[in-house]
Amino acid sequence: MTRVAAAQLAAGTDVAANLAACLRMIDAAAAASAELVVLPEFCNHLSWYDDRAHARRMARTLGDSFLTAIADRAARHGIYVKIGVTLARDDGRTTGTSLLFGADGALLGQSDKQILMGAENDYLDAGQEDSPVIETRLGRIGMYACMEGVINEVTRSLAVRGAQLLLNSLNSFATDEASLHIPVRAAENKVWVVAANKVGPLLPVDQLPAIAERLGVPPDRLHGAGESQIVAPDGTCVAMAPAAGEAVVVADIEIALADDKTRPDGTDLFAARRPELYAPLSASPAGRRPQAGADTITAAIAAPDTATIRELATGGVDLIVLPELAPVPIPEVVRALADTAAYAVLSVRDGDAHHAVLLHADGVVGRQPQLHRTDRHPWLTEPGDDLAVFELPWGRLALVVGDDALFPETFRLAAIQHADVVAVPCTPAEPWELRLGLPERAAENRLNVVAAGPGLTGALYALTPDFTLWTAWSGPFTGVISHPVVTAVPPGASSVRATLRPAQAVNRAVSKGTDLVDGRPRRPIDTVTAR
């Protein structure tokens, strides 16, 4: 077992005070017998500058007094330290950089942030190289920072290259970092994650009230959201700090558990990946964005009962999703849709293939084969070769069938084809799939997702127009950046419906200059798509 720590702290414009806070947190982690501690992002200075020249003046350089003090403290305690700072590079770039110091104080690795968030684009230069996997006596370590964990490619690349322990330094006021974006990267990759966020004001104290008023948010919503945490490979949080105040949390973890990529049916999730299918992710999104879908539609998940399907279809539901391999014949579902505008999605075994089938009152509209072979369906020997998107009167619909829902790349393929809604007949086998996986697929791609499983499990994950601070909010700002609105199945229900917002899929700008889909980083994608 290895004891690891996540430390949260406040950092302002006083570099000396910031350094003192970092050293205090390293001391506290060492006092708790931690062998490794993760500190937040931008520990040297607030991520707020007058201009690029100011950002460069405040940046650190390798070997300067600030970083030497960090290295010396690591060596004094014999502890690994991961810290996020800005660096003034010799080639003129100013980067947001993660640094890992070994227990002897040596610099073991560095990673420049590849996806900058909002105003960071005005002051910093994005990293152009993929983050390294660092071999240590503790295990194989990967580093990333904040926005790099809001989409899946950076962490996916690290995990595919063998990282067991991912270290995330954050500078975020978003409350859905702790509830969604941090733990999902552990679960979907079956790795450990140690994440350290800021607390306290993320903007200059003297300017904070005016900035908050201009944005229309309470000033305390522009503080670091804390909740630094340690997450197990199944997505379980094993230690979490409070939302406010300096804190260090520790946990004893078995790092080697991250080498087991199997799910309950025996499928090795990494061996089942199909990089050759993910090649389109290397290209820009497909052509000009089609016209936005309808403002709203009504969708439902339903038990495989024709009376229930008929009731929903005649009651104005636009899209009905049935559980995977629902025992109801296609002709009966078509009859239940008669004289309505509703569409239904179910899945069927078709010889040695598993198909999602899109139905309308006129019959079969289209089919989507499952793309990934998994041990749950040993008969599935003819997987599909691409993901289709269907043009419907209210928007663009993708079908993700069965265990394809386990792979972030599947939904990314839908996003680059400008899907608005994804129907998912599936069979969740682990708690993280509905709690973290499908909400993240909606959030990181700006997709409305409707997922139905046997026994009527599942949920509807709807986009909201209240998206980041870059767009006007219809209600009070809650601190949530991109988490969808989740409508789960009530106990004993035979159906559940919710409002989806296809038109909101067009808005992917999580902040100024930061697009969730168009801004996906190229170097990690090279790894994700490599055969």
Side-chain angles (χ1 to χ4, degrees), residues 187 234-236 263-264 428-439 461:
D234 64 357
T236 301
R263 70 190 306 249
E430 297 179 276
W432 73 268
E433 297 172 38
L434 293 177
R435 181 174 63 88
L436 299 171
L438 289 169
Y461 306 92

Side-chain angles (χ1 to χ4, degrees), residues 271-355:
R273 294 176 64 255
R274 296 187 64 192
E276 71 277 10
L277 298 189
Y278 314 148
L281 300 179
S282 297
S284 298
R288 178 181 294 180
R289 180 64 167 84
Q291 183 175 352
D295 286 341
T296 62
I297 65 168
T298 302
I301 58 179
D305 172 75
T306 53
T308 300
I309 297 167
R310 182 65 180 170
E311 179 184 355
L312 293 168
T314 57
V317 173
D318 300 286
L319 175 66
I320 304 164
V321 180
L322 306 181
E324 180 182 356
L325 297 174
V328 56
I330 285 176
E332 291 187 16
V333 177
V334 171
R335 282 194 291 273
L337 300 176
D339 302 316
T340 75
Y343 290 83
V345 176
L346 49 70
S347 87
V348 299
R349 178 177 176 177
D350 187 348
D352 295 327
H354 183 200
H355 286 183

Side-chain angles (χ1 to χ4, degrees), residues 1-4 35 137-138 192 251-257:
M1 303 292 283
T2 300
R3 180 163 292 185
V4 296
E35 297 176 70
R137 65 172 177 79
L138 303 181
W192 293 93
D252 295 320
I253 69 173
E254 186 177 351
I255 292 176
L257 290 178

